[in-house]
Amino acid sequence: MTQFRKRFSKSSLQKQARREVLLQENHGHPSQQFVADLNQNEQAMKELFRNCSDVVYRPIQIHEKKKALLIYIDGIVDTKSLEQTLLMPLILKEIPERSSNLESFDKLFRDQAIATRQTKLASSVLETVQDILKGQVAIFVEGENQALLADLKEYEKRQITEPAVESVIRGPREGFTESLQTNTSLLRRRLRSARLKMESLTIGTLSQTDVAIVYIEGIAQDSILEEVRKRVGRIQIDAVLDSGFIEEFIEDNPYSPFPLVQNTERPDVVLSSLLEGKIAIIVNGTPFVLIVPLTFWSVIQAAEDYYEHFIYTTAIRWLRFMLLGISFLLPSLYVAATTFHPQLIPADFLLSIAAAREGVPFPAVVEALLMEVMFEALREAGIRLPKPVGSTVSMVGALVIGESAVRAGIVSAPMVIVVAFTGIASFTIPRYNLGLAFRILRFPLLFLAGTLGFYGIGFGIIALLIHLVNLRSFGVPFLAPVSPQIPGNLKDVLIRSPRWAMNARPTYLAGRDKERIPKGQKPSEKRGRSE
Amino acid sequence: MKPIHFRIPILLLLLLLLLLTTGCWDRKELDDQAIITAWGFDLIEDEMYTGTAQFAIPSKLGVGEGKSQDKAFFTISGNGKNMYDASKNMRLKLSRPWFEGHSGVVLIGERLAKHGLANILDELGRDPTVRLRRDIIVLRGGSVQDFLELTYPLESLSAHAIVSMHETAGLNANHTLRNFYMAAESEESSPFLPVIEMTDRSSEESSKLTDPKMKLWGFAIFNKDSQLVGYLPMNKGYYQQWVKGLLKSIIVTVDIPGEKGNVVVEANHLKSKIVASPRGTKVHFNVTLSGKGNIRENNTRLDLGVSKNIALVQNELHTQVGTYVHQIIKKVQPLGTDIFGFGEAFHRQHPYQWNMLKKEWPEKFAEAEVSVSMNLQIQETGLTGAPYILKNREIKK
């Protein structure tokens, strides 16, 4: 074993070394510097960017004698401001003749021309290349061994639209986009406080994806924050295409079917989580923002809960909780009750089930599995297929399952009702990824119910509970605040307290700043009069 | 904690053990079982039992369009030296194993009831699939098999009709196997069971009528050996149930002396209180029946809007019902079967004397002195006071 480990670690070291070599081949050696010769610098850059047709080399003449070269990547640079703020001053001799070295350009740009944009001087090839790739314009001047980098980043962005996944009837309709800057601005606009921190880092050797860890200072717990920084910081990956890539690296228990990281497209959800002491991770290139830690009870909390009246919301939460149970248990309960414990079913009901089952060739558990698979297939087809075809599929599927299968005697009508109701119930779970976990676990439970009856279901539920109480999300127990029970934190679990009663932040999440809303704000006639 | 790739095989192994070591594998599909809805037992000759079971035919039970006009059940009978032998012979005619968890009623033929229920009680009590909440009913006259073949217009399974007829009749539907066992085992009381009969209308003409051919008849009284010793027809049975404290409502017809007609009172909130007092070697019981009454029908000339007349009706009701109940009790006493709950009352009120008495309780019950007092308040007279059609001068104020 130890020998194996040694070999394993050795090979991983080799891999690490090879990765570094690859990086150098692409971006130049870290210690490579520019020289004072424009041609040589141009050659060096052209060598690095060979076969990159989107790189633009734009030679210009300053004061008709000094040669200069602009390098940028087409499409990620704002060409309008490039024209106005860089090319015009340089070409049209607006610069005094004596100050034609890069330092003075730098100063000039910074002071006058492009005051809102960042500029800097760089002499490292690697740094310059990386900045060009991020949308900066590099200016090389004859006789200078540095490059002036001007940040003119600007690329096509999607409009801010309503999120497709977590839709609400009442509440903000803005959703995140693929651009990190847009996303951070959506947060900052809603929380104008210097305590809203956004620590940025870059992940991905090739993709160089910007990632921001967002939290509110004082509200987020330092230990959790430190853990997030540590876990995100140690990720080594070639490219990050979605926040899901990050999620899989930072989960506490990678084998659990339950997600331990929440994702959302809604800025209001992120902010309400931040205000509870959670931490968000925004990844450039995806509208899905990660929120950690995730606790189980958010499975029944929807964004809208906090905008609608609390009595209605509480009732809806109970409904969701019941439907969660149904989506997980109903097919199993039906199979177990009809094949193992028919005594439990009221006589008339049993007889009508028996009447429906008469002539069905399969055992109930096979029937249930058949229908569940068919339902899942429909669901999957609905997502995968192009939208115009999708509706046809669901219509044909509904016909096949609902009508023909029953009439042909392959499945019984009660089973269709059970499976359909289960499917509908599973759609009511606000957290899609937590719903997926229950969707998957339904099948082993169905198997247990079909082989052992209620005994099997009991066994399955106990195993599930043991698993759930063992789960941690960034050190926070998954079932908190119910198990372990943390007194005073149950105001937002099975009931949603009115806003004026939610005085404290969750104590298992929040750091120093525990108070949320000062007490004594319950509206009443008396209170209005005394003031 | 071990790494997860070690835990998974262990978990699977545990699961396998769980599957293999749990003993009986009782998975049975609904469509592989014959669902029994009712049982019937009788004695055809000495030491020869007959058993009949009513089975539901699920395919004929379909709802809506699929509902068929045919009978939704069939019966199977078998004979044998004992219950189980009979049922074993029944199984020879069956294509599926039976399931009796939902059989709601056990019918006992008259002959078997007179012979004694000891055997059948033993068999039913031993079988783990038999529910103790099952109703047990005595069939008066006719054969059990014929009765189970009867159809009932409202219910596709006549067994369901048998079970729910009691409830509808205002009787407490609690005539379950469990209660019978309890009464049979207790020292204080004797068991009694409801009796149902098949109305005999075999003539051509009446067979066209849709009038159901089953009817509640009354109660059967059993002795301590679970043998049928006497009957109480329904009109008497209601009062027995009232004394026992099981009745919900009763309709009483009161004859008014000096008047031609009678007054009908529906009494609700019925209560019964039994006070036991030992007097020498004998025991005295005072039964107080109370309740609240509404006038339902007035066939006299009395104006019931006048409280004097109400008092008159109430007094007559007290005397008449009191005497009637006393007669019923007197009639049952010689049987030595305490079906009124006297023994229980005595046991509760005089626990020490009970110990001396309990061995000879049937005899003591037979010779006990009983007095009945009534306290029934007439509270409502309906919407009219005086009889509807009579002219003013004819009304007795």
Side-chain angles (χ1 to χ4, degrees), chain B residues 198-237:
Chain B
M198 194 153 78
T199 52
D200 192 23
R201 284 227 197 88
S202 43
S203 66
E204 273 290 300
E205 195 187 330
S206 67
S207 68
K208 281 178 194 157
L209 292 175
T210 50
D211 196 14
K213 293 189 175 55
M214 51 181 76
K215 184 190 166 196
L216 285 181
W217 185 86
F219 291 93
I221 304 166
F222 287 80
N223 65 10
K224 286 314 231 177
D225 299 325
S226 302
Q227 285 165 326
L228 190 148
V229 287
Y231 284 113
L232 273 184
M234 214 55 194
N235 56 352
K236 293 194 174 69

Side-chain angles (χ1 to χ4, degrees), chain A residues 68-287:
Chain A
L69 178 69
L70 267 66
I71 303 179
Y72 61 91
I73 292 176
D74 202 15
I76 60 170
V77 167
D78 182 5
T79 40
K80 210 176 200 175
S81 40
L82 175 72
E83 198 105 334
Q84 283 172 358
T85 58
L86 278 181
L87 288 176
M88 302 272 270
L90 287 173
I91 298 168
L92 297 177
K93 305 175 190 174
E94 281 175 21
I95 305 165
E97 204 165 330
R98 63 181 184 284
S99 58
S100 55
N101 61 357
L102 275 174
E103 270 97 356
S104 55
F105 287 166
D106 186 23
K107 193 171 179 304
L108 181 88
F109 288 139
R110 219 175 278 171
D111 293 349
Q112 299 164 14
I114 42 173
T116 58
R117 305 277 191 157
Q118 281 181 353
T119 58
K120 67 172 179 187
L121 288 167
S123 54
S124 155
V125 176
L126 180 66
E127 192 187 345
T128 311
V129 166
Q130 279 179 350
D131 283 343
I132 290 173
L133 288 166
K134 281 177 187 168
Q136 305 207 359
V137 179
I139 306 166
F140 295 92
V141 179
E142 177 72 64
E144 299 270 354
N145 62 351
Q146 308 184 84
L148 175 66
L149 292 164
D151 188 1
L152 295 175
K153 177 165 43 181
E154 176 85 38
Y155 27 80
E156 290 298 316
K157 284 180 204 161
R158 189 163 62 94
Q159 285 286 306
I160 294 174
T161 53
E162 197 178 342
V165 179
E166 298 153 279
S167 52
V168 290
I169 291 174
R170 179 175 170 181
R173 299 206 186 277
E174 281 180 335
F176 286 124
T177 69
E178 278 77 5
S179 155
L180 179 76
Q181 274 166 319
T182 314
N183 294 351
T184 52
S185 76
L186 283 173
L187 296 180
R188 185 67 80 183
R189 262 191 269 165
R190 286 174 171 79
L191 209 71
R192 294 171 177 163
S193 163
R195 283 169 66 193
L196 175 64
K197 305 291 181 193
M198 299 178 182
E199 291 177 9
S200 117
L201 60 156
T202 312
I203 299 177
T205 47
L206 290 179
S207 68
Q208 297 287 313
T209 311
D210 291 322
V211 172
I213 298 172
V214 186
Y215 59 94
I216 302 176
E217 197 175 39
I219 295 178
Q221 229 172 68
D222 290 338
S223 56
I224 300 178
L225 180 61
E226 201 43 56
E227 188 63 29
V228 173
R229 280 188 194 128
K230 209 171 84 191
R231 290 193 196 176
V232 174
R234 67 181 175 213
I235 298 172
Q236 289 187 336
I237 190 172
D238 54 348
V240 178
L241 301 181
D242 182 81
S243 51
F245 285 44
I246 306 283
E247 182 180 336
E248 286 192 28
F249 280 102
I250 60 174
E251 270 179 325
D252 291 56
N253 184 349
Y255 291 111
S256 172
F258 289 91
L260 297 169
V261 176
Q262 181 184 339
N263 63 64
T264 182
E265 271 188 282
R266 301 181 58 87
D268 54 326
V269 170
V270 170
L271 283 172
S272 90
S273 301
L274 293 183
L275 287 167
E276 285 177 355
K278 294 184 180 175
I279 295 158
I281 300 162
I282 310 181
V283 177
N284 196 15
T286 174

Side-chain angles (χ1 to χ4, degrees), chain B residues 242 265 267-273 286-293 314-315 317-319 321-322 325 372-379:
Chain B
W242 189 357
V265 178
N268 293 305
H269 303 281
L270 303 180
K271 282 191 185 103
S272 159
K273 193 181 169 197
N286 182 32
V287 181
T288 309
L289 300 177
S290 56
K292 289 168 183 167
Q314 207 165 289
N315 276 338
L317 187 140
H318 284 176
T319 14
V321 172
V325 171
V372 181
S373 48
M374 297 287 300
N375 180 23
L376 201 137
Q377 301 291 326
I378 292 177
Q379 290 191 321

Side-chain angles (χ1 to χ4, degrees), chain A residues 339 342-343 345 348 358 364, chain B residues 26 28-29 58 96 102 131 160:
Chain A
T339 53
Q343 296 93 332
I345 309 172
D348 289 337
E358 203 66 36
Chain B
D26 52 356
K28 270 182 213 139
E29 294 299 331
R96 300 174 182 180
H102 274 288
R131 286 185 165 193
H160 290 177

Side-chain angles (χ1 to χ4, degrees), chain A residues 255 338-340 342-348 350-351 353-355 357-360 363-364 448 450-452 455 459, chain B residues 4 15 18-19 22 25-31 33 35 37 56 58-59 61-62 96 99 101-102 129 131 157 160:
Chain A
Y255 291 111
T338 55
T339 53
F340 287 89
Q343 296 93 332
L344 285 175
I345 309 172
D348 289 337
L350 182 89
L351 286 170
I353 294 174
R357 267 204 61 82
E358 203 66 36
V360 174
L448 279 173
T451 49
L452 293 171
Y455 177 61
F459 177 78
Chain B
I4 195 139
L15 203 71
L18 190 83
L19 288 170
T22 44
W25 188 285
D26 52 356
R27 190 183 76 87
K28 270 182 213 139
E29 294 299 331
L30 271 184
D31 49 338
Q33 298 179 71
I35 300 168
T37 53
S59 55
L61 273 172
R96 300 174 182 180
F99 165 68
H102 274 288
T129 63
R131 286 185 165 193
L157 299 163
H160 290 177

